[in-house]
Amino acid sequence: MSDDTVPTEADLTGATARRRPKAEALDIGGHRLSPETLMMGHGYDPMLSEGALKPPIFLTSTFVFESAAAGKRHFEGVTGKRPGGAEGLVYSRFNGPNQEILEDRLGIWEDAEDALTFSSGMSAIATVLLAHCRPGDTIVHSAPLYAATETLIGKVLGRFGINWLDFPAGATREEIDAVMERAHAHGRVAMVYLESPANPTNALVDIEAVVASRNAVFADLEEKPPVVIDNTFLGPLWQKPLRHGADLVLYSLTKYAGGHSDLVAGGAVGSKAHINVIRSMRNTIGTITDPHTAWMLLRSLETLELRMSRAGENAARVCAFLRDHAKVEHVGYLGFLDPGGRQADIYRRHCSGAGSTFSLFLKGGEAEAFRFLDGLRIAKLAVSLGGTETLASHPAGMTHLSVPDARKQALGITDNLVRISIGVENADDLIADCDQALRGV
Ligand SMILES: *Cc1c(COP(=O)(O)O)cnc(C)c1O
């Protein structure tokens, strides 16, 4: 047995009892393996599945115990009598082989201790909120948020006596402190909830400043409110918020992680302590993803780095073309931040890439935006983002149609705004498509 086939400690502690410790390498002679390498096999032992190279899809609602005592031990884990969840598989509302392998691999991207997957991004967010909030609590959050998250916090949790206080995504440390202090004075703060970059403004939140503010303002508390962040737009490749002090990172895996516009799923990654709180709630309400979707996501994660890198390169080229075009007023792309500005400072500290989703402001209004959208030949007209194909939509008339005019104006959601998510097509083809669509405007 060579050194690199000896199971590492992470193998032994990270694997569940179901999957016996396997000769999997996480590093080779001190060289640490990258996520893109580990996505091909991490967390799966073919010998447990007849030697199948790829994991089968485990379509079963329940799992057989080796003995009555083993069944009892598993339930002690499920009910939280012993921390860390069940040692083996029990029932498919709690977990399954496909989901466990997926969770092991999802955590790798951010070097997280643990991860969970959910039936959608919103069910991940809802489970986290339900796990932390009590009547009378305040949620401090950055603004704007994904529309359904805003509805959930403002309208749904509001019915249960939960309040919120927000600060603008680009807020300074002083502005964040002021909001945190107000919330702290008011009573228990359930969590600090962030979304960065914000949709659809692309404004970045200073995660490091938020964490420092939380630590300072709640210094008197032993248990401080967790900092939770929706990292759907840049994660898990271009922004890794755990490194900047966030406690929990949430995902709509429907977007870049799934990446083929053919599934809906969500994820959460963080420390074991934080994940265990959410796992209990997920076990109770059953917001776990299904085995088939988990299997599709395993496939998606194998190409995540390839897809996101290509989409990012394509977006840089398309944006460079659009920026200089006579019919374009402005391109809201993270690669074009004013180098001396605060947003660029946040970007340099937090992000390793500008992503592939951006805002295009055309000269004119709705008519010009619609002519551009209708003229596109390659890009499909659809909401969502992060797929292999390029998508374009009109926020004012689609995703944000029900937002009051004054709020739309405050968020910069104007009639001439087109949202574009660039895919992995040939960049020259995408530029040719934009070029001909702009000619028709
Ligand atoms: C899409 C999205 C969500 C919701 O995810 P679903 O998978 O559609 O439930 C949440 N946050 C952001 C930033 C999103 O883009």
Side-chain angles (χ1 to χ4, degrees), residues 25 82 86 139 154 159 166 190-191 204 207 225 229 231 244 250 271 288 296 380 382 389 393 425 434:
R82 268 183 309 103
I139 297 165
R159 288 199 266 117
D166 65 358
M191 70 170 66
L204 294 168
I207 305 165
I229 176 167
N231 195 36
H244 306 285
L250 306 184
S271 70
I288 189 168
M296 297 224 291
K380 305 283 189 293
E389 66 287 287
S393 66
E425 303 95 335
C434 289

Side-chain angles (χ1 to χ4, degrees), residues 363-403:
K363 286 182 182 157
E366 186 187 85
E368 285 73 15
F370 278 18
R371 272 205 291 280
F372 173 73
L373 286 167
D374 289 335
L376 289 167
R377 305 274 298 276
I378 298 172
K380 305 283 189 293
L381 252 170
V383 297
S384 197
L385 60 123
T388 46
E389 66 287 287
T390 296
L391 299 181
S393 66
H394 187 255
M398 297 172 188
T399 46
H400 293 70
L401 185 65
S402 61
V403 176

Side-chain angles (χ1 to χ4, degrees), residues 83-275:
E87 281 172 13
L89 296 166
V90 173
Y91 182 64
S92 292
R93 195 179 77 236
F94 307 147
N95 221 333
N98 299 104
Q99 294 94 326
E100 282 203 346
I101 298 164
L102 173 62
E103 286 162 3
D104 284 356
R105 290 190 197 170
L106 187 64
I108 292 273
W109 291 93
E110 289 175 75
D111 219 359
E113 267 184 5
D114 213 344
L116 292 172
T117 54
F118 297 85
S119 55
S120 70
M122 283 317 302
S123 77
I125 293 166
T127 306
V128 168
L129 288 168
L130 271 180
H132 286 90
C133 294
R134 303 180 200 158
D137 280 0
T138 303
I139 297 165
V140 173
H141 72 81
S142 62
L145 297 176
Y146 184 72
T149 309
E150 237 170 70
T151 303
L152 184 56
I153 291 176
K155 300 215 173 102
V156 182
L157 294 183
R159 288 199 266 117
F160 300 93
I162 294 151
N163 314 297
W164 54 269
L165 265 183
D166 65 358
F167 57 83
T172 62
R173 169 70 195 271
E174 290 69 32
E175 290 164 336
I176 298 164
D177 278 349
V179 173
M180 293 251 200
E181 278 158 14
R182 259 182 71 200
H184 190 24
H186 189 264
R188 184 176 182 271
V189 173
M191 70 170 66
V192 181
Y193 186 95
L194 314 176
E195 184 178 307
S196 180
N199 182 28
T201 57
N202 265 8
L204 294 168
V205 178
D206 190 338
I207 305 165
E208 290 172 350
V210 168
V211 171
S213 173
R214 186 272 313 263
N215 292 346
V217 172
F218 297 91
D220 57 320
L221 298 184
E222 205 167 304
E223 215 172 296
K224 298 176 180 51
V227 174
V228 180
I229 176 167
D230 181 337
N231 195 36
T232 298
F233 274 75
L234 288 181
L237 196 65
W238 296 307
Q239 180 170 257
K240 298 177 190 285
L242 295 177
R243 290 189 187 164
H244 306 285
D247 297 301
L248 270 174
V249 181
L250 306 184
Y251 284 103
S252 169
L253 300 176
T254 312
K255 314 296 167 56
Y256 286 99
H260 297 72
S261 306
D262 56 5
L263 61 84
V264 173
V269 304
S271 70
K272 282 193 184 298
H274 282 105
I275 288 290

